[in-house]
Structure formats: C-alpha cells, structure tokens
Short mmCIF file of all heavy atoms in Angstrom, two decimals:
data_model
loop_
_atom_site.label_atom_id
_atom_site.label_comp_id
_atom_site.label_asym_id
_atom_site.label_seq_id
_atom_site.Cartn_x
_atom_site.Cartn_y
_atom_site.Cartn_z
N MET O 28 0.86 -1.17 -0.01
CA MET O 28 -0.01 0.02 0.00
C MET O 28 0.90 1.23 0.00
O MET O 28 1.79 1.34 0.82
CB MET O 28 -0.90 -0.04 1.23
CG MET O 28 -1.94 1.04 1.24
SD MET O 28 -3.10 0.98 2.65
CE MET O 28 -4.11 -0.42 2.22
N THR O 29 0.60 2.14 -0.90
CA THR O 29 1.41 3.35 -0.98
C THR O 29 0.99 4.37 0.10
O THR O 29 -0.04 4.16 0.74
CB THR O 29 1.23 4.02 -2.36
OG1 THR O 29 -0.11 4.50 -2.47
CG2 THR O 29 1.57 3.07 -3.51
N GLU O 30 1.80 5.40 0.24
CA GLU O 30 1.43 6.45 1.21
C GLU O 30 0.11 7.11 0.86
O GLU O 30 -0.66 7.45 1.73
CB GLU O 30 2.55 7.47 1.31
CG GLU O 30 3.77 6.97 2.08
CD GLU O 30 4.81 8.06 2.28
OE1 GLU O 30 4.42 9.24 2.52
OE2 GLU O 30 6.01 7.74 2.22
N ALA O 31 -0.10 7.32 -0.45
CA ALA O 31 -1.34 7.92 -0.92
C ALA O 31 -2.53 7.06 -0.58
O ALA O 31 -3.58 7.53 -0.16
CB ALA O 31 -1.29 8.21 -2.40
N ASP O 32 -2.39 5.74 -0.78
CA ASP O 32 -3.44 4.81 -0.45
C ASP O 32 -3.74 4.83 1.07
O ASP O 32 -4.91 4.80 1.47
CB ASP O 32 -3.09 3.36 -0.85
CG ASP O 32 -3.05 3.16 -2.35
OD1 ASP O 32 -3.69 3.93 -3.08
OD2 ASP O 32 -2.34 2.23 -2.79
N THR O 33 -2.68 4.85 1.87
CA THR O 33 -2.84 4.90 3.31
C THR O 33 -3.52 6.16 3.76
O THR O 33 -4.42 6.13 4.58
CB THR O 33 -1.48 4.73 4.00
OG1 THR O 33 -0.86 3.52 3.58
CG2 THR O 33 -1.60 4.75 5.52
N ALA O 34 -3.13 7.27 3.16
CA ALA O 34 -3.75 8.56 3.51
C ALA O 34 -5.22 8.57 3.13
O ALA O 34 -6.06 9.03 3.91
CB ALA O 34 -3.01 9.71 2.80
N ARG O 35 -5.55 8.02 1.96
CA ARG O 35 -6.93 7.94 1.53
C ARG O 35 -7.75 7.08 2.50
O ARG O 35 -8.84 7.43 2.90
CB ARG O 35 -7.01 7.39 0.14
CG ARG O 35 -8.40 7.30 -0.44
CD ARG O 35 -8.37 6.73 -1.83
NE ARG O 35 -9.68 6.69 -2.42
CZ ARG O 35 -10.04 5.94 -3.42
NH1 ARG O 35 -9.12 5.12 -3.98
NH2 ARG O 35 -11.26 5.95 -3.92
N LEU O 36 -7.19 5.93 2.88
CA LEU O 36 -7.85 5.03 3.81
C LEU O 36 -8.12 5.71 5.13
O LEU O 36 -9.21 5.63 5.70
CB LEU O 36 -7.03 3.78 4.00
CG LEU O 36 -7.55 2.72 4.96
CD1 LEU O 36 -8.91 2.21 4.50
CD2 LEU O 36 -6.58 1.55 5.11
N MET O 37 -7.16 6.45 5.65
CA MET O 37 -7.34 7.13 6.93
C MET O 37 -8.38 8.22 6.85
O MET O 37 -9.19 8.41 7.77
CB MET O 37 -6.00 7.67 7.44
CG MET O 37 -4.97 6.59 7.80
SD MET O 37 -5.66 5.22 8.82
CE MET O 37 -6.15 6.09 10.27
N ARG O 38 -8.41 8.98 5.72
CA ARG O 38 -9.41 10.04 5.57
C ARG O 38 -10.84 9.43 5.55
O ARG O 38 -11.76 9.95 6.16
CB ARG O 38 -9.17 10.86 4.29
CG ARG O 38 -8.02 11.85 4.44
CD ARG O 38 -8.01 12.83 3.26
NE ARG O 38 -8.02 12.18 1.94
CZ ARG O 38 -6.98 11.75 1.27
NH1 ARG O 38 -5.78 11.89 1.80
NH2 ARG O 38 -7.10 11.20 0.08
N VAL O 39 -10.98 8.36 4.77
CA VAL O 39 -12.29 7.71 4.70
C VAL O 39 -12.67 7.13 6.07
O VAL O 39 -13.83 7.27 6.50
CB VAL O 39 -12.28 6.63 3.61
CG1 VAL O 39 -13.57 5.83 3.63
CG2 VAL O 39 -12.10 7.24 2.25
N THR O 40 -11.75 6.50 6.76
CA THR O 40 -12.03 5.95 8.10
C THR O 40 -12.47 7.04 9.01
O THR O 40 -13.46 6.88 9.76
CB THR O 40 -10.80 5.25 8.66
OG1 THR O 40 -10.38 4.22 7.76
CG2 THR O 40 -11.07 4.61 10.02
N GLU O 41 -11.78 8.18 9.03
CA GLU O 41 -12.13 9.28 9.92
C GLU O 41 -13.51 9.80 9.57
O GLU O 41 -14.31 10.09 10.47
CB GLU O 41 -11.09 10.39 9.81
CG GLU O 41 -9.76 10.02 10.45
CD GLU O 41 -8.66 11.01 10.17
OE1 GLU O 41 -8.91 12.04 9.46
OE2 GLU O 41 -7.51 10.77 10.60
N ALA O 42 -13.85 9.92 8.28
CA ALA O 42 -15.15 10.40 7.88
C ALA O 42 -16.24 9.43 8.32
O ALA O 42 -17.29 9.86 8.81
CB ALA O 42 -15.20 10.55 6.35
N ILE O 43 -16.00 8.15 8.20
CA ILE O 43 -16.99 7.14 8.64
C ILE O 43 -17.21 7.25 10.15
O ILE O 43 -18.34 7.26 10.63
CB ILE O 43 -16.56 5.72 8.21
CG1 ILE O 43 -16.69 5.57 6.68
CG2 ILE O 43 -17.38 4.66 8.96
CD1 ILE O 43 -16.07 4.29 6.14
N VAL O 44 -16.12 7.28 10.92
CA VAL O 44 -16.22 7.38 12.36
C VAL O 44 -16.96 8.67 12.78
O VAL O 44 -17.85 8.61 13.66
CB VAL O 44 -14.86 7.26 13.02
CG1 VAL O 44 -14.94 7.59 14.50
CG2 VAL O 44 -14.28 5.87 12.81
N ARG O 45 -16.65 9.79 12.15
CA ARG O 45 -17.36 11.04 12.48
C ARG O 45 -18.82 10.93 12.19
O ARG O 45 -19.68 11.34 12.98
CB ARG O 45 -16.76 12.21 11.70
CG ARG O 45 -15.54 12.82 12.29
CD ARG O 45 -15.19 14.17 11.68
NE ARG O 45 -15.07 14.10 10.23
CZ ARG O 45 -13.95 13.80 9.57
NH1 ARG O 45 -12.85 13.57 10.23
NH2 ARG O 45 -13.94 13.75 8.28
N GLU O 46 -19.20 10.33 11.07
CA GLU O 46 -20.62 10.18 10.69
C GLU O 46 -21.35 9.24 11.65
O GLU O 46 -22.47 9.50 12.07
CB GLU O 46 -20.75 9.72 9.26
CG GLU O 46 -22.18 9.64 8.77
CD GLU O 46 -22.94 10.96 8.80
OE1 GLU O 46 -22.30 12.05 8.84
OE2 GLU O 46 -24.19 10.93 8.80
N LEU O 47 -20.68 8.16 12.01
CA LEU O 47 -21.28 7.22 12.94
C LEU O 47 -21.51 7.87 14.33
O LEU O 47 -22.50 7.67 14.99
CB LEU O 47 -20.45 5.94 13.11
CG LEU O 47 -20.37 5.05 11.84
CD1 LEU O 47 -19.39 3.93 12.07
CD2 LEU O 47 -21.74 4.55 11.43
N ASP O 48 -20.53 8.67 14.74
CA ASP O 48 -20.64 9.43 15.96
C ASP O 48 -21.79 10.42 15.87
O ASP O 48 -22.59 10.56 16.82
CB ASP O 48 -19.36 10.16 16.29
CG ASP O 48 -18.51 9.48 17.31
OD1 ASP O 48 -18.97 8.48 17.91
OD2 ASP O 48 -17.37 9.91 17.51
N ARG O 49 -21.85 11.14 14.79
CA ARG O 49 -22.91 12.15 14.59
C ARG O 49 -24.27 11.52 14.66
O ARG O 49 -25.21 12.07 15.23
CB ARG O 49 -22.71 12.81 13.23
CG ARG O 49 -23.63 14.00 13.01
CD ARG O 49 -23.55 14.54 11.59
NE ARG O 49 -24.18 13.65 10.60
CZ ARG O 49 -25.49 13.52 10.40
NH1 ARG O 49 -26.34 14.18 11.15
NH2 ARG O 49 -25.95 12.71 9.47
N GLN O 50 -24.43 10.31 14.12
CA GLN O 50 -25.70 9.63 14.15
C GLN O 50 -25.97 8.90 15.43
O GLN O 50 -27.05 8.37 15.67
CB GLN O 50 -25.80 8.64 12.97
CG GLN O 50 -25.82 9.34 11.63
CD GLN O 50 -26.02 8.38 10.48
OE1 GLN O 50 -26.51 7.27 10.66
NE2 GLN O 50 -25.61 8.78 9.31
N GLY O 51 -24.97 8.86 16.30
CA GLY O 51 -25.17 8.21 17.60
C GLY O 51 -25.14 6.71 17.57
O GLY O 51 -25.66 6.06 18.50
N ILE O 52 -24.53 6.12 16.57
CA ILE O 52 -24.56 4.68 16.49
C ILE O 52 -23.17 4.04 16.58
O ILE O 52 -23.03 2.82 16.54
CB ILE O 52 -25.23 4.17 15.20
CG1 ILE O 52 -24.56 4.72 13.97
CG2 ILE O 52 -26.72 4.51 15.23
CD1 ILE O 52 -25.10 4.16 12.69
N ALA O 53 -22.11 4.88 16.71
CA ALA O 53 -20.75 4.34 16.75
C ALA O 53 -20.58 3.34 17.88
O ALA O 53 -20.02 2.29 17.70
CB ALA O 53 -19.76 5.49 16.88
N HIS O 54 -21.08 3.66 19.06
CA HIS O 54 -20.91 2.76 20.21
C HIS O 54 -21.59 1.45 19.98
O HIS O 54 -21.05 0.37 20.33
CB HIS O 54 -21.45 3.46 21.49
CG HIS O 54 -21.19 2.68 22.72
ND1 HIS O 54 -19.96 2.51 23.25
CD2 HIS O 54 -22.04 1.99 23.53
CE1 HIS O 54 -20.03 1.76 24.32
NE2 HIS O 54 -21.29 1.43 24.53
N THR O 55 -22.75 1.46 19.40
CA THR O 55 -23.51 0.25 19.13
C THR O 55 -22.71 -0.65 18.17
O THR O 55 -22.63 -1.84 18.33
CB THR O 55 -24.90 0.55 18.52
OG1 THR O 55 -25.60 1.32 19.47
CG2 THR O 55 -25.66 -0.71 18.20
N LEU O 56 -22.14 -0.06 17.11
CA LEU O 56 -21.39 -0.81 16.14
C LEU O 56 -20.13 -1.39 16.74
O LEU O 56 -19.72 -2.52 16.41
CB LEU O 56 -21.08 0.02 14.91
CG LEU O 56 -22.27 0.37 14.05
CD1 LEU O 56 -21.86 1.25 12.88
CD2 LEU O 56 -22.98 -0.87 13.55
N VAL O 57 -19.51 -0.67 17.65
CA VAL O 57 -18.32 -1.22 18.34
C VAL O 57 -18.75 -2.43 19.18
O VAL O 57 -18.05 -3.46 19.18
CB VAL O 57 -17.67 -0.14 19.26
CG1 VAL O 57 -16.64 -0.74 20.20
CG2 VAL O 57 -17.04 0.94 18.41
N ASN O 58 -19.89 -2.35 19.86
CA ASN O 58 -20.37 -3.46 20.63
C ASN O 58 -20.67 -4.68 19.77
O ASN O 58 -20.56 -5.80 20.21
CB ASN O 58 -21.62 -3.08 21.43
CG ASN O 58 -21.31 -2.18 22.60
OD1 ASN O 58 -20.18 -2.11 23.04
ND2 ASN O 58 -22.30 -1.47 23.07
N LEU O 59 -21.06 -4.43 18.51
CA LEU O 59 -21.33 -5.52 17.57
C LEU O 59 -20.07 -5.98 16.85
O LEU O 59 -20.14 -6.84 15.97
CB LEU O 59 -22.38 -5.04 16.54
CG LEU O 59 -23.79 -4.82 17.09
CD1 LEU O 59 -24.67 -4.20 16.02
CD2 LEU O 59 -24.38 -6.12 17.61
N LYS O 60 -18.95 -5.41 17.24
CA LYS O 60 -17.63 -5.80 16.72
C LYS O 60 -17.40 -5.40 15.24
O LYS O 60 -16.63 -6.06 14.55
CB LYS O 60 -17.38 -7.26 16.91
CG LYS O 60 -17.57 -7.73 18.36
CD LYS O 60 -16.36 -8.42 18.87
CE LYS O 60 -16.63 -9.00 20.26
NZ LYS O 60 -16.77 -8.12 21.33
N PHE O 61 -18.06 -4.34 14.79
CA PHE O 61 -17.76 -3.82 13.45
C PHE O 61 -16.47 -3.05 13.51
O PHE O 61 -16.17 -2.42 14.51
CB PHE O 61 -18.90 -2.92 12.93
CG PHE O 61 -20.07 -3.66 12.36
CD1 PHE O 61 -21.11 -4.06 13.16
CD2 PHE O 61 -20.07 -4.05 11.02
CE1 PHE O 61 -22.18 -4.75 12.64
CE2 PHE O 61 -21.13 -4.73 10.48
CZ PHE O 61 -22.18 -5.09 11.29
N ASP O 62 -15.69 -3.08 12.44
CA ASP O 62 -14.39 -2.43 12.39
C ASP O 62 -14.46 -1.28 11.40
O ASP O 62 -14.68 -1.49 10.18
CB ASP O 62 -13.36 -3.49 11.95
CG ASP O 62 -11.95 -2.96 11.92
OD1 ASP O 62 -11.75 -1.73 12.09
OD2 ASP O 62 -11.00 -3.76 11.73
N ALA O 63 -14.26 -0.05 11.86
CA ALA O 63 -14.34 1.13 10.98
C ALA O 63 -13.29 1.08 9.86
O ALA O 63 -13.57 1.50 8.75
CB ALA O 63 -14.12 2.41 11.82
N LEU O 64 -12.12 0.51 10.13
CA LEU O 64 -11.11 0.41 9.11
C LEU O 64 -11.57 -0.52 7.99
O LEU O 64 -11.40 -0.23 6.80
CB LEU O 64 -9.78 -0.11 9.72
CG LEU O 64 -8.56 0.04 8.87
CD1 LEU O 64 -8.30 1.47 8.43
CD2 LEU O 64 -7.37 -0.48 9.63
N GLU O 65 -12.21 -1.63 8.35
CA GLU O 65 -12.75 -2.53 7.31
C GLU O 65 -13.85 -1.85 6.54
O GLU O 65 -13.95 -2.03 5.32
CB GLU O 65 -13.23 -3.84 7.96
CG GLU O 65 -12.10 -4.74 8.45
CD GLU O 65 -11.13 -5.12 7.34
OE1 GLU O 65 -11.54 -5.50 6.25
OE2 GLU O 65 -9.91 -5.05 7.61
N LEU O 66 -14.70 -1.11 7.21
CA LEU O 66 -15.76 -0.36 6.51
C LEU O 66 -15.17 0.62 5.55
O LEU O 66 -15.64 0.79 4.42
CB LEU O 66 -16.63 0.38 7.52
CG LEU O 66 -17.61 -0.42 8.36
CD1 LEU O 66 -18.24 0.45 9.44
CD2 LEU O 66 -18.66 -1.05 7.50
N ALA O 67 -14.09 1.28 5.93
CA ALA O 67 -13.42 2.25 5.05
C ALA O 67 -12.83 1.54 3.82
O ALA O 67 -12.91 2.06 2.70
CB ALA O 67 -12.33 2.99 5.80
N LYS O 68 -12.22 0.36 4.04
CA LYS O 68 -11.68 -0.38 2.91
C LYS O 68 -12.78 -0.75 1.91
O LYS O 68 -12.62 -0.63 0.68
CB LYS O 68 -10.97 -1.64 3.37
CG LYS O 68 -9.63 -1.36 4.07
CD LYS O 68 -9.02 -2.61 4.59
CE LYS O 68 -7.75 -2.37 5.38
NZ LYS O 68 -7.18 -3.59 5.93
N VAL O 69 -13.93 -1.17 2.43
CA VAL O 69 -15.06 -1.51 1.57
C VAL O 69 -15.55 -0.27 0.83
O VAL O 69 -15.86 -0.32 -0.37
CB VAL O 69 -16.19 -2.14 2.40
CG1 VAL O 69 -17.47 -2.28 1.61
CG2 VAL O 69 -15.79 -3.50 2.95
N ALA O 70 -15.65 0.87 1.53
CA ALA O 70 -16.10 2.10 0.92
C ALA O 70 -15.16 2.54 -0.19
O ALA O 70 -15.62 2.96 -1.27
CB ALA O 70 -16.22 3.21 1.96
N ILE O 71 -13.87 2.45 -0.01
CA ILE O 71 -12.89 2.81 -1.00
C ILE O 71 -13.01 1.88 -2.21
O ILE O 71 -13.03 2.34 -3.37
CB ILE O 71 -11.47 2.81 -0.43
CG1 ILE O 71 -11.30 4.02 0.47
CG2 ILE O 71 -10.44 2.81 -1.56
CD1 ILE O 71 -9.99 4.04 1.23
N ARG O 72 -13.08 0.63 -1.98
CA ARG O 72 -13.20 -0.34 -3.09
C ARG O 72 -14.50 -0.11 -3.85
O ARG O 72 -14.50 -0.16 -5.09
CB ARG O 72 -13.12 -1.77 -2.56
CG ARG O 72 -11.69 -2.09 -2.08
CD ARG O 72 -11.47 -3.49 -1.65
NE ARG O 72 -11.57 -4.37 -2.81
CZ ARG O 72 -11.65 -5.68 -2.71
NH1 ARG O 72 -11.62 -6.27 -1.52
NH2 ARG O 72 -11.75 -6.45 -3.76
N ALA O 73 -15.58 0.19 -3.16
CA ALA O 73 -16.86 0.46 -3.84
C ALA O 73 -16.75 1.74 -4.67
O ALA O 73 -17.23 1.78 -5.80
CB ALA O 73 -17.97 0.58 -2.80
N ALA O 74 -16.08 2.74 -4.11
CA ALA O 74 -15.89 4.02 -4.88
C ALA O 74 -15.08 3.76 -6.13
O ALA O 74 -15.24 4.45 -7.14
CB ALA O 74 -15.27 5.06 -3.99
N ASP O 75 -14.17 2.80 -6.03
CA ASP O 75 -13.30 2.49 -7.18
C ASP O 75 -14.00 1.51 -8.16
O ASP O 75 -13.42 1.12 -9.16
CB ASP O 75 -12.00 1.87 -6.72
CG ASP O 75 -11.10 2.89 -6.02
OD1 ASP O 75 -11.32 4.10 -6.21
OD2 ASP O 75 -10.16 2.48 -5.33
N GLY O 76 -15.24 1.15 -7.85
CA GLY O 76 -16.03 0.30 -8.74
C GLY O 76 -15.91 -1.20 -8.47
O GLY O 76 -16.35 -2.01 -9.30
N VAL O 77 -15.32 -1.59 -7.35
CA VAL O 77 -15.21 -3.01 -7.01
C VAL O 77 -16.32 -3.35 -6.02
O VAL O 77 -16.49 -2.72 -4.99
CB VAL O 77 -13.83 -3.27 -6.34
CG1 VAL O 77 -13.69 -4.72 -5.94
CG2 VAL O 77 -12.68 -2.85 -7.24
N VAL O 78 -17.10 -4.35 -6.38
CA VAL O 78 -18.20 -4.79 -5.50
C VAL O 78 -17.61 -5.69 -4.41
O VAL O 78 -16.92 -6.66 -4.69
CB VAL O 78 -19.28 -5.54 -6.29
CG1 VAL O 78 -20.36 -6.05 -5.35
CG2 VAL O 78 -19.86 -4.65 -7.34
N VAL O 79 -17.85 -5.33 -3.14
CA VAL O 79 -17.30 -6.09 -2.03
C VAL O 79 -18.43 -6.47 -1.12
O VAL O 79 -19.12 -5.62 -0.58
CB VAL O 79 -16.31 -5.20 -1.21
CG1 VAL O 79 -15.73 -5.99 -0.07
CG2 VAL O 79 -15.19 -4.67 -2.11
N PRO O 80 -18.69 -7.80 -0.99
CA PRO O 80 -19.70 -8.22 -0.01
C PRO O 80 -19.21 -7.91 1.40
O PRO O 80 -18.05 -8.12 1.69
CB PRO O 80 -19.84 -9.70 -0.24
CG PRO O 80 -18.59 -10.12 -0.92
CD PRO O 80 -18.03 -8.92 -1.61
N PHE O 81 -20.07 -7.40 2.24
CA PHE O 81 -19.69 -7.09 3.59
C PHE O 81 -20.68 -7.71 4.53
O PHE O 81 -21.86 -7.49 4.46
CB PHE O 81 -19.67 -5.55 3.79
CG PHE O 81 -19.05 -5.15 5.11
CD1 PHE O 81 -17.68 -5.13 5.26
CD2 PHE O 81 -19.84 -4.81 6.18
CE1 PHE O 81 -17.13 -4.80 6.48
CE2 PHE O 81 -19.27 -4.47 7.39
CZ PHE O 81 -17.95 -4.44 7.54
N ARG O 82 -20.18 -8.52 5.42
CA ARG O 82 -21.06 -9.24 6.33
C ARG O 82 -20.69 -8.92 7.80
O ARG O 82 -19.56 -8.58 8.09
CB ARG O 82 -20.89 -10.76 6.13
CG ARG O 82 -21.38 -11.22 4.81
CD ARG O 82 -21.09 -12.69 4.61
NE ARG O 82 -21.37 -13.11 3.25
CZ ARG O 82 -20.52 -13.03 2.26
NH1 ARG O 82 -19.30 -12.54 2.44
NH2 ARG O 82 -20.83 -13.44 1.05
N LYS O 83 -21.67 -9.11 8.63
CA LYS O 83 -21.44 -8.93 10.08
C LYS O 83 -20.44 -10.01 10.50
O LYS O 83 -20.54 -11.14 10.12
CB LYS O 83 -22.76 -9.09 10.84
CG LYS O 83 -22.62 -8.96 12.31
CD LYS O 83 -23.95 -9.14 12.99
CE LYS O 83 -23.76 -9.12 14.50
NZ LYS O 83 -25.03 -9.41 15.17
N PRO O 84 -19.46 -9.59 11.35
CA PRO O 84 -18.48 -10.57 11.80
C PRO O 84 -19.13 -11.68 12.68
O PRO O 84 -20.11 -11.41 13.35
CB PRO O 84 -17.49 -9.75 12.64
CG PRO O 84 -18.04 -8.40 12.70
CD PRO O 84 -19.22 -8.28 11.84
N LEU O 85 -18.58 -12.85 12.61
CA LEU O 85 -19.09 -13.91 13.45
C LEU O 85 -18.64 -13.73 14.89
O LEU O 85 -17.59 -13.20 15.13
CB LEU O 85 -18.56 -15.24 12.90
CG LEU O 85 -19.02 -15.61 11.50
CD1 LEU O 85 -18.31 -16.89 11.05
CD2 LEU O 85 -20.51 -15.80 11.43
N PRO O 86 -19.45 -14.19 15.84
CA PRO O 86 -19.09 -13.99 17.27
C PRO O 86 -17.86 -14.75 17.68
O PRO O 86 -17.31 -15.59 17.15
CB PRO O 86 -20.33 -14.49 18.01
CG PRO O 86 -21.24 -15.11 17.05
CD PRO O 86 -20.73 -14.81 15.67
#
C-alpha cells in the first residue's frame, strides 16, 4: 500500500467514524464488533467500482 493509499484510507475511516458518531450509532457498532477500518476499505473499493460483499463478523 502506498502512502497515498494509506492517507486515503485514513481520511475515509475518519469520515466514517465522524458520521457514525454524529448519528449516535458508533458505540452500538463497536459493541457488535464492526471495524471502521474494514468499513473504510469496503467504501474505497466500492468508490473504485469494485463490489465487495460485507457481512457482520461472526461472534
């Protein structure tokens, strides 16, 4: 992963976390073991046109 890719991933992750906080659901998603970094990776791949199935993690 290049520095530009890493920077993009961090910006998207921060945006996702801010939005989840704003909507008041960040804590709930943490309790459900969702990973914001994984969500950001999926969002970036989707923006780049790659379809990525995303499932709830197993307990």
Side-chain angles (χ1 to χ4, degrees):
M28 187 177 287
T29 67
E30 285 186 38
D32 291 336
T33 302
R35 182 180 183 200
L36 179 60
M37 293 313 298
R38 283 192 308 274
V39 172
T40 303
E41 289 170 2
I43 289 171
V44 170
R45 276 194 306 272
E46 183 61 20
L47 293 175
D48 260 351
R49 187 187 72 76
Q50 293 184 22
I52 59 173
H54 185 70
T55 300
L56 291 178
V57 168
N58 288 341
L59 293 173
K60 307 236 186 290
F61 278 92
D62 183 351
L64 194 57
E65 289 302 315
L66 287 171
K68 288 177 184 176
V69 169
I71 287 173
R72 290 183 68 190
D75 290 343
V77 178
V78 177
V79 180
F81 190 78
R82 295 175 189 85
K83 180 180 173 185
L85 298 174

